[in-house]
Amino acid sequence: MSTAIHAHDHPHGEAHEHHGPPRGITRWLYTTNHKDIGTMYLIFSCVMFFVGGTMAMLIRAELFKPGLQLFNPQFFNSLTTVHGLVMIFGAIMPAFVGFANWLVPMQVGAADMAFPRMNNWSFWLLIPASILLMGGFLAPGGAIASGWTLYPPLSIQQGISMDMTILAIHMLGASSIMGSINIITTILNMRAPGMTLMKMPLFVWTWLITAYLLIAVMPVLAGAITMLLTDRHFGTSFFSAAGGGDPTMFLHIFWFFGHPEVYIMILPAFGIISQIIPAFARKPLFGYASMVYATASIALLSFIVWGHHMFTVGMPAAGNLFFMYATILISVPTGVKVFNWISTMWRGSMSFETPMLFAIGFLCLFTIGGFSGLVLAIAPVDITLHNTYYVVAHFHYVLVSGALFAIMGGVYFWWPKWSGRMYNETLGKWHFWLSVIGFNVAFFPQHFLGLAGMPRRIPDYALQFAEWNMWSSIGAWLFGASQLLLVYNLVTSARSGRAAEQKQWEGADSLEWTHLPSPAPYHTFETAPVIK
Amino acid sequence: MDPGQRRRAIVTAVALAVMAVAVYLTVILKMAVGG
């Protein structure tokens, strides 16, 4: 950090950073530059997205028709488990951290993150963690098959791959906590003069709140899996009923982490959408302050709703009612955000480039996921729908058409600033429409399957579920294949796309668009801008 | 980053790290001493 600011003080002849990045592999291994680290996070996330996506394609291949087609049930369970863990911890979370690394310093007018070396460490922890996570497939007994929630007693009984996963999640958690500390410290201490908290772009606000959530709940997950480890190897009985422990207690602790984790994956998406919609509606965001308060309210409420994941474990009726009402309450601040986005578009001078299409796709489809969440929040209904494909449909509407669509919209939105080149707009629109069609064909029928009683996490099913499963598989493959368009578009753009303008999007008004050229230089805001 | 800013940044980071460790230990110790 100080190296960057005082670069002029170094004697000439030293390979100091001021003139641009060093060359070769060491640039990436040792980099402390927030843009390089952001790029590495995004590339890592993209790779893991395709790894997890390949598992999804295999899952849908097995479920294409009834009967066991390709895999034994144990391997199928491993696929669903590792798919979930890879997508959550390897794809979606690192993607948002990549966005944060690229954008938070630029949007608050800082030269870099507060602790650049810790930032480098946060990223490089992901590599051994992901190798451990995926390496379970090569371990004796195969990869873990307990579901991503790692419920005991299955998780106590499984082989060495469970220990590998526990270590991997500890490392991923440490990485997340260090990243969060960096983000909070940067936002609170390094804003440019005049950049008050209530002048910050919404993306920065959502990440500030998300980072607090991460620091509050990742240690809870770490505690739970540390206790799993000691139950497995050191003779404790926290969750082992045979030794007097309580497996249900694990569920309480896990979901005390797990529900805020859902918001960790969606609040930064809200931030991205809050940047994209005003830019393409050419209007300021409607209700900025209420957006900030709604985000904070969602984060606070996320701590008191974990019980809605476990309505069927036999909690007292008063407990079920509390969690039901608390969960339904979340729809109020979420509704504030949705109506604010719609109000921003109202009478705006709108245009529909690819980022805006993804933002509108997000708005429509995430709202469907929100509504199916309300259905599941009703305790008596959930007792019927628990562990069915309705739940699978619900969380994919939230995490794919919610978090992932926002990520893709954000990539198209900021790509010109990152690379200095424009992507192919026609190809981007093809990518959007094929994704929307493929996604809905894949996941909408799963509502019907769940309502008809098809359980999740099974490799075989009754004949009456055959037709919608076939459609679901066809849609999933279409969705998966269409993602190759994104990669092709970005690679060809990086090589030969036309040059992007400083303010590529007319309505974009945050500092990276108004103060910095495209591509953003290696070092930015070494002298902080003054915000009026 | 000027020295004052650096000092504030370190204090913020240490406070957040202490919070994370405290949550971790609270979860385990609460379970260890009786659920």
Side-chain angles (χ1 to χ4, degrees):
Chain A
M1 183 64 211
S2 56
T3 311
I5 287 180
H6 302 299
H8 289 297
D9 300 338
H10 290 292
H12 283 282
E14 282 185 23
H16 62 75
E17 297 178 320
H18 188 67
H19 298 299
R23 295 185 180 279
I25 187 71
T26 52
R27 166 179 175 181
W28 304 101
L29 280 176
Y30 305 141
T31 183
T32 52
N33 182 286
H34 72 102
K35 300 182 186 76
D36 277 354
I37 294 172
T39 302
M40 291 198 294
Y41 264 109
L42 289 166
I43 292 172
F44 173 83
S45 159
C46 185
V47 170
M48 294 305 274
F49 172 60
F50 279 98
V51 169
T54 302
M55 290 181 210
M57 300 301 101
L58 294 174
I59 290 166
R60 287 317 313 176
E62 176 59 50
L63 294 174
F64 183 65
K65 59 182 184 176
L68 292 180
Q69 314 296 322
L70 303 167
F71 313 123
N72 65 49
Q74 173 76 13
F75 185 72
F76 180 88
N77 287 340
S78 293
L79 281 178
T80 56
T81 301
V82 182
H83 163 75
L85 288 169
V86 163
M87 286 305 202
I88 291 169
F89 292 107
I92 292 180
M93 288 171 68
F96 285 130
V97 181
F99 275 96
N101 263 292
W102 255 102
L103 298 172
V104 165
M106 292 201 294
Q107 292 193 333
V108 301
D112 204 312
M113 299 291 270
F115 302 106
R117 290 188 183 86
M118 189 166 79
N119 205 14
N120 173 294
W121 193 23
S122 297
F123 171 77
W124 283 107
L125 270 180
L126 296 182
I127 307 299
S130 58
I131 291 170
L132 275 171
L133 195 59
M134 298 300 302
F137 280 108
L138 304 175
I144 62 164
S146 60
W148 83 277
T149 51
L150 312 175
Y151 284 177
L154 271 180
S155 53
I156 294 178
Q157 295 161 354
Q158 286 193 328
I160 191 172
S161 59
M162 180 59 70
D163 302 315
M164 294 163 72
T165 304
I166 288 172
L167 182 54
I169 294 176
H170 274 115
M171 293 166 80
L172 292 166
S175 163
S176 290
I177 289 169
M178 288 191 293
S180 300
I181 289 174
N182 231 330
I183 289 167
I184 293 173
T185 311
T186 305
I187 296 172
L188 294 186
N189 293 294
M190 296 175 65
R191 297 191 311 280
M195 176 67 80
T196 60
L197 286 175
M198 293 308 275
K199 281 185 184 169
M200 294 193 309
L202 239 292
F203 178 75
V204 180
W205 256 115
T206 53
W207 244 114
L208 179 63
I209 293 166
T210 301
Y212 274 113
L213 272 183
L214 271 165
I215 291 176
V217 299
M218 287 308 288
V220 176
L221 174 68
I225 59 175
T226 301
M227 287 185 278
L228 264 188
L229 191 73
T230 60
D231 272 11
R232 285 168 58 79
H233 296 294
F234 301 106
T236 61
S237 296
F238 289 112
F239 308 124
S240 168
D246 183 2
T248 308
M249 198 63 202
F250 180 88
L251 274 66
H252 282 286
I253 300 173
F254 180 87
W255 285 114
F256 187 81
F257 146 80
H259 200 79
E261 170 68 13
V262 174
Y263 295 110
I264 286 164
M265 290 188 282
I266 204 65
L267 293 183
F270 289 171
I272 290 173
I273 298 301
S274 300
Q275 302 288 125
I276 294 176
I277 287 180
F280 292 94
R282 294 166 178 80
K283 276 175 63 188
L285 184 69
F286 183 89
Y288 172 91
S290 65
M291 286 297 232
V292 172
Y293 298 134
T295 308
S297 304
I298 292 170
L300 289 174
L301 285 171
S302 76
F303 287 107
I304 58 165
V305 297
W306 79 90
H308 71 219
H309 293 272
M310 34 194 298
F311 280 141
T312 57
V313 301
M315 284 185 293
N320 280 353
L321 284 170
F322 171 80
F323 287 120
M324 181 174 89
Y325 291 129
T327 305
I328 292 171
L329 199 59
I330 292 183
S331 62
V332 176
T334 311
V336 167
K337 296 184 89 73
V338 170
F339 285 119
N340 279 352
W341 289 320
I342 293 171
S343 304
T344 304
M345 290 190 280
W346 179 252
R347 292 188 171 173
S349 178
M350 297 218 291
S351 58
F352 298 93
E353 289 88 344
T354 308
M356 185 61 161
L357 290 179
F358 271 103
I360 294 172
F362 167 97
L363 203 48
C364 299
L365 299 175
F366 173 77
T367 304
I368 293 176
F371 275 125
S372 59
L374 279 178
V375 172
L376 290 168
I378 301 166
V381 176
D382 184 73
I383 286 167
T384 304
L385 294 177
H386 185 82
N387 249 355
T388 69
Y389 257 79
Y390 193 91
V391 178
V392 179
H394 157 67
F395 68 71
H396 281 90
Y397 266 83
V398 172
L399 292 179
V400 179
S401 59
L404 190 58
F405 271 35
I407 289 168
M408 293 196 283
V411 167
Y412 282 114
F413 185 65
W414 278 292
W415 178 258
K417 184 56 62 184
W418 295 341
S419 70
R421 296 185 182 274
M422 267 305 283
Y423 59 86
N424 182 322
E425 192 64 57
T426 308
L427 213 52
K429 285 177 176 162
W430 270 98
H431 173 224
F432 169 74
W433 285 110
L434 289 175
S435 293
V436 166
I437 293 167
F439 170 79
N440 280 296
V441 173
F443 292 106
F444 208 81
Q446 293 181 4
H447 292 106
F448 310 146
L449 290 167
L451 288 167
M454 179 173 162
R456 62 191 285 207
R457 293 174 174 153
I458 47 117
D460 190 9
Y461 49 82
L463 283 176
Q464 70 263 30
F465 304 131
E467 192 164 346
W468 286 124
N469 267 295
M470 181 190 72
W471 280 109
S472 184
S473 292
I474 291 170
W477 293 329
L478 174 64
F479 179 77
S482 63
Q483 302 320 304
L484 298 173
L485 286 178
L486 172 68
V487 176
Y488 176 79
N489 200 352
L490 298 187
V491 170
T492 52
S493 161
R495 286 182 174 175
S496 56
R498 70 177 166 83
E501 296 166 23
Q502 170 172 328
K503 197 175 174 186
Q504 183 63 41
W505 313 115
E506 187 187 349
D509 62 356
S510 44
L511 289 183
E512 77 276 23
W513 298 108
T514 56
H515 283 62
L516 299 173
S518 298
Y522 196 59
H523 293 292
T524 44
F525 294 135
E526 292 177 26
T527 305
V530 177
I531 314 300
K532 290 174 184 168
Chain B
M1 193 189 275
D2 62 57
Q5 210 175 17
R6 181 183 295 276
R7 192 169 57 248
R8 284 194 299 276
I10 291 171
V11 169
T12 309
V14 169
L16 292 168
V18 168
M19 176 179 149
V21 173
V23 171
Y24 177 71
L25 292 177
T26 303
V27 170
I28 295 178
L29 293 176
K30 179 79 175 80
M31 285 289 289
V33 298

